[in-house]
Structures are given as structure tokens and as C-alpha cells.
Amino acid sequence: MSIAAINYISDIMKSIGIPYQFGEWTDEVPDRYYVGEYQEIPSPTKEEDGGQETSFILNGWTRKSCMILEQDKETIEHSLPKSRMNPDGSCVAVFYDSAFPVPTGDGELKRIQINLSIKEWKVK
């Protein structure tokens, strides 16, 4: 996954007003927040066509109502798909895939996992 794609996810989350950071949350903890991580999917044709697919996971956390996380899920789902061409000529597209609540073992802490699909193309 390219840095341009990681930055694009951040731009999307900022544009829809959802607190987000990549990798780990390092600021003061707000009412709810999301942390992103990814897993690249092997591409046997990457060298030929410049394509790369990635599963991107948004982990959402709150100590308020789980409905806040469900509302965020709907906001994210309705704001996608989105795509853009980067200054270097590469392209990135972001798609909503799926989501599910995740038990935390803490009665006050709520969590949701939102799965996105990222497709990138690089000009060689």
C-alpha cells in the first residue's frame, strides 16, 4: 500500500468529520476514534499492470453508545466509493466492503471493525 493511499484514507475521514489516525491513536482520546491498518493482497500481475489490492481495516472505539459507531459506519459507507489520481500519475480507489461489532470484554468499551477495499494502479 502506498503512502499516497494511506494519506487519501486520512483525507476522506477528515472530510466526513470522523476522528482517525493511521497505525495508532497518539492524541488525547476523544469520545470516539478510529485507527487504520492494512493487509496487502498478493497480486500475481502487479509487475505487468501496476495494480495492487489492499484490505484496509478501520477499528472504531468509544465508551459512549455503540450507535455512534453505527452512525459512523453508515457515514463511511455512504461516502464511498471515492477515487483520485495522485500527482505522480498513480491512482487509488477506496470501496466500502463490510463491518461488524467486536466484543471487547469491557462493558463500557465499544468497538467496530469496518473493512474497506483499496485498489491502486501505478504507472511504470
Side-chain angles (χ1 to χ4, degrees), residues 35-81:
V35 175
E37 61 185 73
Y38 69 88
Q39 180 176 359
E40 292 180 341
I41 298 169
S43 173
T45 62
K46 184 176 180 178
E47 296 302 317
E48 295 173 22
D49 62 16
Q52 174 69 53
E53 190 169 344
T54 304
S55 293
F56 197 89
I57 299 167
L58 293 170
N59 290 296
W61 305 89
T62 189
R63 290 198 177 272
K64 302 275 184 181
S65 167
C66 61
M67 290 309 291
I68 294 170
L69 301 177
E70 292 294 331
Q71 290 168 347
D72 287 345
K73 177 191 73 105
E74 283 192 5
T75 300
I76 292 166
E77 184 176 9
H78 290 118
S79 71
L80 298 175

Side-chain angles (χ1 to χ4, degrees), residues 2-5 7-8 11 84-92 121 123:
S2 70
I3 291 173
N7 289 337
Y8 188 40
D11 293 346
R84 79 173 176 194
M85 181 177 283
N86 298 308
D88 66 359
S90 65
C91 296
V92 60
W121 298 270
V123 179

Side-chain angles (χ1 to χ4, degrees), residues 101-115:
V102 179
T104 65
D106 177 339
E108 293 180 15
L109 185 62
K110 309 324 187 256
R111 178 178 169 213
I112 192 168
Q113 179 175 317
I114 300 171
N115 302 306

